[in-house]
RNA sequence: CGGGGCGUAGCGCAGCUUGGUAGCGCGGAUGCUUUGGGAGCAUUAGGUCGCAGGUUCGAAUCCUGUCGCCCCGACCA
């Protein structure tokens, strides 16, 4: 390809819309253009990158025996109603774009394809003899993100590879899951990305085990915690750890564990209490009041207890709540903190926020207009294991000191509701400490189990002749996100440094002075020869000064540059590695001999030979 | 939706406080010079100042409303 024909428009300044480096560079280098929030045009250069990523994905998926397919993006609501996800995905903060056709039929624009693929499997896969099957597609997905951002990182329209596997038993699912794990590692390595696999929360997709693949980068939206020995890595949403030991409360229990009243005027926070009375945060039980909303319409007040030095992990809380109530109340739509306004709307008297104890009675909810009239009470194990503690007095400006659970008449059932933090001790080895880093989630694999097949009655006939729901797995890779993550991980002050395996072009041939016919014709010759040798080559034939062409080449991130300059008269050219190092002078006739093996090697990315 | 910010030429911005009829840099076009790291000079095109209403002799500027976009939080590949 000739640069003059490339519709290349590069920008010198960063567009104001872009915040993170990868987004800025993709805009500046003419890879993408924004059409609306979260909706981007992939310009020809970007499309070449995406095709290369897709091809790596395709090759690795195919080599595991997975079958490529292409499923409809427009999906009937009925299918989603059968799985029970329609309302959760459309109502309230749902992420599915949906619409009505002229016949009044409701349709959704696919954010994911479990329903479609499961209904197909139910029709086509009748016998255990046909299993296992793993279907995948590479396709545009639609999600009505609340706040799209960072270019391709979180778009409302994005390209994803999604795969769905069907199995006769759980063991077989585990084997495919493990095969996907290996395939994913190869995919990211081949794309030249440093990625780490972390334990993850399954989120809205559901299922049991799940693992995310994170491209490590400071701009990443996820916090990941890893042990220094490398044996444990998890998303913070999911991470578990040992909390630091609590500082024992001097004096222990008082008044048989009912505690002694302490006057605490306006001391509503843990920090206030500690500085006023010399407590350690770990001596206090903090109480959070929240409201969970369910698909069924139920609005359930929650009372959550944590040790004062711990932070609530909302994902763990949501999972705990869903486990208790989702069976009868349908999917959990959301959890929000209780506020004075909300109490007022329910016709309830105000609560002493900041002074609430774990034993706050259900009486305070009596007469609520819509809420359930008793709290669901959840206690984190850090709080549950305290022998004696400080807590709110359930009236303004008072706390109690030397309280115990039995003194309050409560029997805590400890749950894990706290967020693990950097510096915490690991469960697998308390000598190991967790370290924090940031990551961009580029892949996620799930063992779904039989959640969807049961809901949608997708069954096969087993070896014993019984009708059984499929065991399922699903496996996603954000293809467009991966491409941008690559930029986030591989750039410098001059622009992008694509890993060669996914670079739009592998080499750019630059005649330093295009008006010099010797240079121009040698450049042309090398460009043709590279093309014949199967190299994706670019010829910068623009009537620009050398500096401009160099700058643009760096910005675009083409891995190799061949400069045909003053040396052209004697058949000498210069080879420059975008990753750095000194330019190499060489005879043009030797270029291919030198460059082809290099390119061949780099096409494997980070994969070991 | 809550909090913050911004809408002026294709892009990045100034002008607004103190109203007087729009400017800078980059980019585009043309010509000459230049030609190994985003060249120089000259000429030139391009703007309903987001939109609507109001105040005023006069509004980019003041007031009211509205729309849009960006950032922080809740959602996720």
């Amino acid at each position: 390809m000739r640069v003059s024909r490339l519709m290349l428009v590069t920008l010198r300044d960063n567009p104001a819309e872009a915040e993170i480096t990868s987004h800025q560079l993709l805009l500046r280098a003419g890879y993408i253009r924004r059409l609306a929030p979260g909706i981007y045009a992939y310009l020809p250069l970007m499309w070449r990158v995406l095709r290369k990523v897709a091809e790596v994905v395709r090759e690795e998926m195919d080599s595991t025996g997975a079958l490529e397919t292409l499923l409809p993006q427009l999906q009937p609501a009925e299918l989603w109603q059968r799985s029970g996800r329609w309302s959760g995905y459309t109502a309230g903060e749902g992420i599915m774009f949906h619409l009505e056709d002229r016949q009044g039929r409701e349709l959704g624009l696919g954010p994911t394809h479990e329903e479609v693929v499961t209904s197909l499997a139910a029709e086509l896969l009748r016998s255990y003899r046909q299993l296992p099957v793993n279907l995948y597609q590479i396709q545009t997905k639609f999600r009505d993100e609340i706040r799209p951002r960072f270019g391709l990182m979180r778009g409302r329209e994005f390209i994803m590879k999604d795969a769905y596997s069907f199995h006769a038993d759980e063991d077989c699912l585990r084997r495919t899951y493990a095969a996907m794990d290996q395939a994913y590692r190869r995919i990211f390595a081949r794309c030249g990305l440093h990625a780490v696999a972390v334990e993850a929360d399954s989120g809205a997709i559901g299922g049991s085990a799940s693992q995310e693949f994170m491209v490590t980068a400071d701009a990443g939206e996820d916090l990941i915690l890893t042990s220094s020995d490398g044996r444990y890595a998890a998303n913070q949403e999911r991470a578990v750890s040992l909390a630091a030991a609590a500082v024992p409360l001097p004096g222990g229990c008082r008044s048989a564990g009912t505690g002694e009243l302490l006057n605490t005027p306006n001391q509503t926070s843990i920090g206030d209490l500690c500085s006023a009375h010399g407590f350690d945060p770990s001596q206090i039980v903090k109480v959070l009041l929240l409201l969970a909303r369910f698909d069924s319409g139920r609005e359930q007040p929650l009372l959550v207890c944590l040790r004062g030095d711990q932070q609530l992990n909302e994902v763990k809380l949501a999972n705990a709540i869903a486990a208790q109530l989702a069976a009868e109340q349908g999917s959990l739509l959301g959890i929000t903190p209780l506020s004075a306004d909300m109490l007022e709307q329910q016709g309830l008297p105000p609560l002493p926020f900041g002074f609430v104890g774990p034993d706050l009675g259900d009486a305070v909810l009596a007469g609520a207009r819509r809420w359930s009239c008793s709290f669901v009470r959840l206690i984190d194990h850090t709080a549950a294991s305290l022998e004696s503690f400080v807590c709110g007095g359930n009236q303004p400006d008072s706390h109690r000191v030397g309280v115990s659970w039995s003194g309050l008449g409560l029997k805590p059932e400890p749950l894990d509701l706290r967020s693990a933090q950097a510096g915490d001790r690991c469960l697998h080895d308390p000598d190991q400490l967790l370290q924090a880093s940031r990551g961009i989630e580029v892949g996620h694999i799930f063992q779904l189990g039989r959640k969807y097949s049961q809901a949608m009655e997708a069954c096969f006939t087993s070896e014993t002749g019984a009708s059984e729901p499929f065991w399922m797995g699903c496996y996603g890779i954000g293809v467009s996100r991966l491409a941008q993550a690559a930029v986030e991980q591989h750039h410098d002050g001059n622009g992008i440094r694509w890993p060669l395996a996914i670079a739009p072009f592998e080499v750019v041939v630059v005649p330093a002075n295009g008006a010099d016919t010797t240079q121009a014709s040698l450049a042309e010759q090398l460009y043709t020869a590279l093309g014949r040798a199967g190299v994706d080559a670019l010829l910068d034939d623009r009537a620009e000064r050398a500096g401009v062409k160099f700058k643009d080449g760096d910005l675009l991130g083409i891995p190799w540059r061949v400069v045909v300059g003053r040396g052209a008269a004697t058949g000498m050219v210069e080879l420059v590695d975008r990753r750095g190092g000194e330019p190499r002078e060489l005879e043009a006739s030797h270029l291919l001999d030198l460059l082809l093996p290099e390119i061949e090697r780099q096409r494997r990315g980070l994969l070991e030979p």
Side-chain angles (χ1 to χ4, degrees), chain A residues 75 89 101 150 203 462 486 495 605:
Chain A
Q75 305 177 10
Y89 268 64
D101 69 12
F150 304 146
S462 76

Side-chain angles (χ1 to χ4, degrees), chain A residues 117-430:
Chain A
V117 80
T118 307
S119 77
L120 282 172
E123 286 180 39
L124 299 171
L125 301 173
R126 303 295 181 83
S127 160
Y128 74 94
R129 293 174 198 276
Q130 293 171 283
L131 301 176
V133 165
N134 191 3
L135 286 169
Y136 78 94
Q137 58 173 347
I138 296 172
Q139 186 203 48
T140 296
K141 290 278 187 282
F142 298 90
R143 291 190 186 170
D144 189 1
E145 290 288 339
I146 304 164
R147 189 157 82 84
R149 59 186 126 172
F150 304 146
L152 306 185
M153 286 294 189
R154 178 173 301 285
R156 295 193 293 168
E157 187 181 314
F158 59 96
I159 299 175
M160 175 169 161
K161 185 284 300 179
D162 49 330
Y164 307 88
S165 67
F166 296 88
H167 312 268
D169 57 63
E170 192 173 9
D171 239 31
C172 181
L173 164 59
R174 290 216 182 95
R175 283 195 296 275
T176 296
Y177 181 83
M180 287 295 107
D181 176 18
Q182 289 307 308
Y184 273 37
R185 290 170 198 264
R186 289 177 58 89
I187 287 168
F188 301 127
R190 282 185 58 184
C191 289
L193 294 173
H194 298 281
V196 293
V198 304
E199 287 182 20
D201 181 72
S202 301
I205 306 284
S208 49
S210 98
Q211 183 173 284
E212 287 169 334
F213 292 84
M214 298 284 189
V215 167
T216 47
D218 290 340
E221 294 189 82
D222 286 280
L223 186 65
I224 55 189
L225 295 171
T226 48
S227 66
S228 24
D229 65 0
R231 286 168 60 201
Y232 182 75
N235 193 311
Q236 197 198 22
E237 293 176 349
R238 160 92 182 194
V240 291
S241 66
L242 294 170
V247 176
L249 184 66
C253 291
R254 304 186 196 176
S255 308
T258 60
E260 283 172 9
L261 276 182
L262 178 67
N263 190 32
T264 52
N266 294 321
Q267 294 159 16
T268 55
S269 72
I270 303 284
D272 293 342
L273 271 178
C274 292
S275 50
H277 304 281
F279 296 130
D280 184 86
S282 69
Q283 296 166 336
I284 300 170
V285 167
K286 77 174 160 192
V287 174
L288 304 171
L289 298 175
L290 307 111
L291 185 72
R293 291 179 301 108
F294 288 88
D295 201 14
S296 64
R298 168 110 159 230
E299 297 191 8
Q300 174 62 56
L302 310 175
L303 189 151
V304 179
C305 297
L306 286 165
R307 204 172 76 190
D309 60 328
Q310 301 298 314
Q311 297 299 317
L312 176 67
N313 182 318
E314 292 195 26
V315 172
K316 290 180 181 177
L317 174 65
N319 288 339
I321 293 294
Q324 285 192 17
L325 295 171
E328 40 192 81
Q329 302 301 333
S331 50
L332 176 63
L333 298 180
I335 297 179
T336 45
L338 281 194
S339 66
D341 285 352
M342 291 161 74
L343 289 166
E344 202 177 317
Q345 280 165 21
Q346 294 298 312
L348 296 174
L351 286 173
F353 288 114
F355 302 99
V356 170
D359 56 338
L360 182 70
D362 290 337
V364 299
L365 297 175
R369 296 206 172 98
R370 305 185 45 180
W371 295 354
S372 302
C373 288
S374 60
F375 287 107
V376 166
R377 293 163 194 271
L378 300 155
I379 302 175
D380 182 69
H381 56 79
T382 52
S385 61
L386 291 175
E387 301 284 328
S388 59
F389 50 85
V390 177
C391 68
N394 290 329
Q395 50 185 301
D397 301 335
S398 92
H399 281 78
R400 287 167 286 173
V401 183
V403 178
S404 71
W405 292 102
S406 60
L408 294 177
L410 296 171
K411 282 187 197 149
E413 289 173 28
L415 294 165
D416 181 21
L417 300 171
R418 60 180 280 276
S419 280
Q421 307 279 353
D424 285 351
R425 293 166 299 152
C426 296
L427 288 183
H428 74 274
D429 177 358

